[in-house]
């Protein structure tokens, strides 16, 4: 027992071991939950129920149908008032006076007077009608009783029964009694149902006229995007245009402005209506608010066009069907009809469609052409489409200068007599010389015997602004670009514009982003046909089309860059323009490069083989300075003309088309420039050899560095 105790004592006092480290994690007690008051929860539930879409739709429906009744009552009362009084004639009279149409005003005044006279006669007749009615009833009753008694007498004689005398009379009395009984039976329910039927009739009138606020109408009715154009919509759009004189005039018109409108006509993918503005309102006030007018008509700005017709104080509105102008038009007849040919003198190029959806054909006979617009809007495609159509007339000759040089006119190789493609100053120089050659051809034709007929020569310069902005000068210090009297391209264009039309030498130019610097005024006004794609400002639109067209409603600056690509505003007597307008908007057919190549091949098949002169060839790489030194040989100097001849003999492909300008370009800045000797421009051998040595030394030093 004692051992056990000792043993327990030892076990209960062991050698202490290192204490284990214990990590304590303090868990915060959760915050006490505050109960949300019942009234707050109820408020949230009520708010959710009230703002739920089903609740709003139901409330809108109840309000709508209730307001249909009120609106129907208002419409019915107005119709009744108009039918009983002369208010209708008064409204039409005031409308005619506000529109300044005094003849129509006098006519409505006369009609109103006739109405009042007829109403006065009816009222006077009512004063005598009770006596006349009593007399009529007495006479009718007496005759009726007499007829019934006579009929009864006949029946009594026939039946030998004297009681039959009163039988017809009693039958009539019984029938009247039956009618009275029926009325007594029906009268009570009719008094009960009648008001409901009247309310139903008013509701039907209000529903038919949509006589409820916009917020109460169904979503499909409330959304007016693309809604049809009606007279009331047009008048409301004009009223809300922000022109006080127009708003007040419409308010004073008895017909609410309806007399301002002509018939609304279907016009292609939209409608057209003429609006005669009231006195005191200018057409320019409407033109300057095109965007607001379009929005009032539930259209985008590009879907509304405002032009000025021939009638005074009138604007013509063309309103497209919503989204119609964003749909592409069909392919060009040049693509779909492989048998099509052209006639320069009498034909019309199928250029596209006007806004009414009608084919727009352009006559190019003896008309210079200018097409301008912002970059990448379809200028080259539109210009090329005209050229491709005219190429199907085998008698027409083409000289083409493409100062962009990316292959847009490559299909003219073998079709055009001359084809220059490239954007450099060298290409500008050669395009200028080509245009000067056209001036010489024009002069030759002008000096021919009277009556001589000449085939058309079409000189096409695409990206002509490059030529006008070229800074290079020739050996006589005459600039190729610019718009001065010494500018070579400018003067050549002016000469062709002045007299070329008479002998069928025509200039077609395509430019972009016009300014007075890259499209001089005298050149742009020399074109008979002026067409513009989308532009940035109204001042550019005036440069492109002229003041008359822009003042008449032409607005290429309102076309949408990128979205209205290929849409042209055209001012020309070569295209059919609606009477009274000064321009027309045409959506041109797009002809792809592959289709253009196919059309060009058809045109080539109609002609004899044409050798196209390329004034700049890309062949063997030459060293012009070394070649000049080679052709000088041991001569101390040679005239520039002789140097050019020797270079041509050395390599005709490289130097056959060279002129003094090319020599100047190569030698300029080398110290070997041409100089005068004995009054002739010459090139010195020593100077050329020194320039070669200096160039080689500079090249070696650069390589070592």
């Amino acid at each position: 027992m004692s051992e056990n105790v000792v043993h327990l004592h030892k076990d209960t006092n062991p050698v202490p071991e290192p204490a284990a480290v214990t990590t304590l994690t303090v868990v915060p007690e959760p915050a006490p939950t505050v109960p949300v008051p019942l009234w707050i929860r109820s408020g949230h539930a009520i708010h959710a129920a009230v703002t739920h879409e089903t609740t709003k739709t139901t409330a809108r429906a109840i309000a709508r149908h209730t307001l249909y009744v009120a609106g129907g009552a208002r419409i019915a009362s107005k119709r009744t008032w108009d039918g009983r009084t002369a208010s209708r004639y008064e409204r039409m009279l005031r409308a005619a006076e506000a529109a300044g149409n005094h003849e129509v005003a006098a006519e409505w005044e006369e009609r109103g007077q006739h109405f009042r006279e007829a109403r006065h006669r009816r009222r006077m007749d009512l004063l005598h009608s009770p006596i006349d009615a009593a007399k009529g009833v007495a006479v009718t009753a007496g005759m009726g009783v007499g007829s019934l008694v006579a009929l009864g007498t006949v029946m009594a004689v026939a039946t030998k029964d004297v009681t039959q005398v009163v039988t017809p009379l009693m039958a009539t009395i019984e029938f009247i009694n039956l009618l009275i009984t029926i009325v007594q039976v029906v009268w009570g329910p009719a008094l009960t149902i009648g008001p409901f039927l009247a309310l139903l009739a008013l509701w039907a009138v209000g529903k038919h006229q949509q006589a409820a606020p916009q917020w109460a109408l169904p979503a499909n009715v409330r959304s007016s995007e693309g809604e049809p154009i009606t007279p009331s919509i047009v008048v409301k759009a004009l009223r809300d245009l922000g022109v006080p004189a127009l708003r007040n005039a419409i308010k004073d018109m008895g017909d609410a402005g309806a007399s301002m409108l002509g018939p609304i006509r279907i016009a292609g993918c939209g409608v057209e209506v003429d609006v005669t503005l009231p006195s005191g309102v200018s057409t320019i006030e409407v033109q300057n608010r095109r965007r607001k007018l379009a929005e009032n008509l539930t259209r985008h700005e590009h879907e509304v066009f405002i032009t000025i017709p021939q009638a005074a104080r009138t604007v013509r509105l063309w309103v497209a069907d919503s989204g119609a102008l964003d749909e592409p038009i069909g392919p060009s007849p040049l693509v779909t009809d492989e048998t099509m040919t052209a006639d320069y003198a009498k034909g019309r190029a199928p250029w596209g469609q006007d806004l009414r959806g009608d084919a727009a054909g352009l006559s190019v006979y003896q008309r210079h052409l200018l097409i301008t617009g912002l970059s990448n809007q379809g200028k080259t495609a539109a210009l090329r489409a005209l050229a491709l159509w005219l190429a199907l007339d085998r008698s027409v000759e083409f000289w083409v200068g493409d100062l962009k040089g990316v292959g847009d006119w490559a299909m003219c190789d073998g079709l055009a007599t001359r084809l220059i493609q490239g954007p450099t100053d060298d290409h500008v120089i050669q395009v200028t010389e080509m245009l000067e050659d056209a001036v010489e051809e024009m002069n030759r034709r002008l000096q021919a015997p009277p009556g001589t007929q000449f085939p058309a020569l079409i000189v096409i310069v695409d990206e002509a602004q490059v030529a006008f902005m070229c800074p290079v000068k020739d050996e006589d210090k005459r600039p190729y670009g610019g718009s001065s009297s010494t500018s070579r391209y400018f003067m050549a264009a002016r000469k062709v514009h002045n007299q070329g039309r008479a002998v069928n030498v025509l200039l077609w130019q395509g430019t972009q982003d016009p300014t007075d610097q890259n499209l001089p005024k005298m050149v742009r006004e020399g074109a008979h046909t002026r067409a513009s794609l989308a532009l940035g400002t109204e001042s550019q639109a005036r440069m492109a089309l002229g003041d008359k067209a822009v003042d008449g409603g032409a607005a290429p600056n309102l076309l949408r860059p990128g979205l209205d690509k290929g849409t042209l505003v055209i001012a020309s007597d070569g295209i059919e323009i609606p009477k009274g307008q000064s321009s027309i908007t045409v959506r041109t057919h797009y002809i792809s490069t592959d289709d253009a190549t196919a059309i060009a091949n058809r045109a080539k098949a109609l002609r004899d083989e044409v050798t196209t002169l390329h004034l700049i060839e890309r062949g063997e790489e030459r060293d012009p300075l070394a070649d000049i030194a080679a052709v000088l040989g041991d001569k101390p100097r040679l005239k520039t003309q002789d140097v050019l001849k020797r270079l041509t003999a050395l390599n005709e492909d490289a130097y056959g088309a060279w002129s003094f300008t090319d020599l100047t370009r190569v030698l300029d800045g080398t110290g070997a420039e041409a100089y005068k000797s004995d009054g002739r421009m010459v090139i010195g051998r020593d100077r050329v050899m020194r320039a070669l040595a200096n160039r080689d030394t500079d090249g070696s030093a650069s390589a070592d560095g």
Side-chain angles (χ1 to χ4, degrees), residues 369-419:
L369 175 70
L370 173 66
I371 300 179
T372 187
L374 298 177
S375 178
N376 194 32
Q377 297 303 309
K379 167 180 51 63
T380 298
L383 184 60
R384 189 175 65 186
L386 292 179
L388 289 171
W389 172 80
L390 192 55
L392 297 176
D393 183 342
R394 58 176 298 171
S395 67
V396 179
E397 182 181 0
F398 292 93
W399 294 359
V400 179
D402 175 16
L403 293 177
K404 184 189 299 181
V406 295
D408 289 336
W409 295 88
M411 71 288 301
C412 291
D413 192 358
L415 180 63
T417 309
R418 302 189 186 189
L419 178 60

Side-chain angles (χ1 to χ4, degrees), residues 524-525 530 540-551 554 571:
R524 62 184 185 245
E525 291 186 352
R530 301 168 71 172
Q540 287 185 316
R542 292 183 180 276
M543 292 180 191
L545 300 177
D547 291 336
K548 180 180 178 181
V550 174
D551 291 339

Side-chain angles (χ1 to χ4, degrees), residues 351 370-374 514 530-536 540-545 555-557 559 566-571 584-586:
W351 215 4
L370 173 66
I371 300 179
T372 187
L374 298 177
R530 301 168 71 172
S532 176
L533 297 148
L535 288 173
Q540 287 185 316
R542 292 183 180 276
M543 292 180 191
L545 300 177
N557 53 301
L559 294 174
T567 299
L568 284 169
V569 182
I570 304 169
I584 187 172
T585 302
V586 173

Side-chain angles (χ1 to χ4, degrees), residues 343-363:
D343 187 336
Y344 163 71
K346 299 179 181 179
R348 290 181 177 268
W351 215 4
Q353 294 179 359
D354 62 19
L355 296 179
R356 295 166 179 79
D358 299 328
L362 178 71
S363 172

Side-chain angles (χ1 to χ4, degrees), residues 182-469:
I182 294 174
V183 170
Q184 289 176 342
V185 172
V186 174
W187 186 254
L191 289 177
T192 303
I193 300 174
F196 293 101
L197 294 178
L199 290 175
L200 181 61
L202 295 176
W203 175 87
V205 172
K207 183 177 185 301
H208 179 72
Q209 298 291 334
Q210 296 294 324
Q214 285 290 314
W215 60 266
L217 295 176
N220 59 337
V221 177
R222 193 166 60 251
S223 176
S224 56
E225 179 70 22
E227 63 182 350
I229 299 300
T230 62
S232 60
I233 289 177
V234 175
V235 171
K236 186 175 183 297
L238 293 170
R239 184 196 67 193
D240 299 338
L241 202 54
V243 181
L246 181 59
R247 181 181 63 250
N248 294 334
I250 293 175
K251 185 177 180 181
D252 293 338
M253 292 181 184
D255 62 347
S259 61
M260 296 193 307
L261 308 184
I264 297 180
R265 304 176 295 272
I266 300 295
C269 57
V271 297
E272 185 178 73
V273 59
D274 287 350
V275 181
T276 302
L277 300 176
S279 178
V281 181
S282 171
T283 56
I284 193 66
E285 294 181 277
V286 178
Q287 283 183 295
N288 289 342
R289 291 169 171 80
R290 177 186 176 191
R291 174 177 294 181
K292 189 169 185 179
L293 178 62
E295 292 172 350
N296 291 348
L297 293 169
T298 66
R299 295 294 190 274
H300 297 290
E301 184 178 11
H302 71 278
E303 294 175 328
V304 175
F305 288 82
I306 306 172
T307 55
I308 309 300
Q310 196 170 14
R313 212 172 67 240
T314 301
V315 293
R316 178 168 294 163
L317 307 181
W318 185 86
V319 185
D321 297 336
S322 185
L325 294 184
D326 296 326
E327 298 293 330
I329 64 174
S332 171
L334 291 172
V335 176
T336 59
D337 185 2
E338 296 185 357
T339 63
M340 175 175 285
T341 58
D343 187 336
Y344 163 71
K346 299 179 181 179
R348 290 181 177 268
W351 215 4
Q353 294 179 359
D354 62 19
L355 296 179
R356 295 166 179 79
D358 299 328
L362 178 71
S363 172
V364 299
Y365 178 64
Q366 294 188 342
R367 291 179 176 89
H368 301 298
L369 175 70
L370 173 66
I371 300 179
T372 187
L374 298 177
S375 178
N376 194 32
Q377 297 303 309
K379 167 180 51 63
T380 298
L383 184 60
R384 189 175 65 186
L386 292 179
L388 289 171
W389 172 80
L390 192 55
L392 297 176
D393 183 342
R394 58 176 298 171
S395 67
V396 179
E397 182 181 0
F398 292 93
W399 294 359
V400 179
D402 175 16
L403 293 177
K404 184 189 299 181
V406 295
D408 289 336
W409 295 88
M411 71 288 301
C412 291
D413 192 358
L415 180 63
T417 309
R418 302 189 186 189
L419 178 60
I420 304 170
Q421 300 181 91
T424 67
D425 291 341
D426 293 336
H427 295 94
V428 172
I429 291 169
Q430 295 178 10
V431 166
T432 302
E433 292 174 347
M434 178 184 74
L435 188 55
E436 291 173 339
D437 289 344
V439 174
E440 293 182 6
E441 172 64 15
M442 176 191 72
N443 291 333
R444 182 189 70 81
R445 295 183 178 191
L446 288 170
Q447 296 171 15
T452 305
Q453 298 295 320
F454 298 102
L457 171 60
I458 310 298
V459 182
I460 299 174
V461 181
D462 196 10
E463 305 295 342
Q465 77 280 355
V466 178
F468 285 112
M469 300 300 289

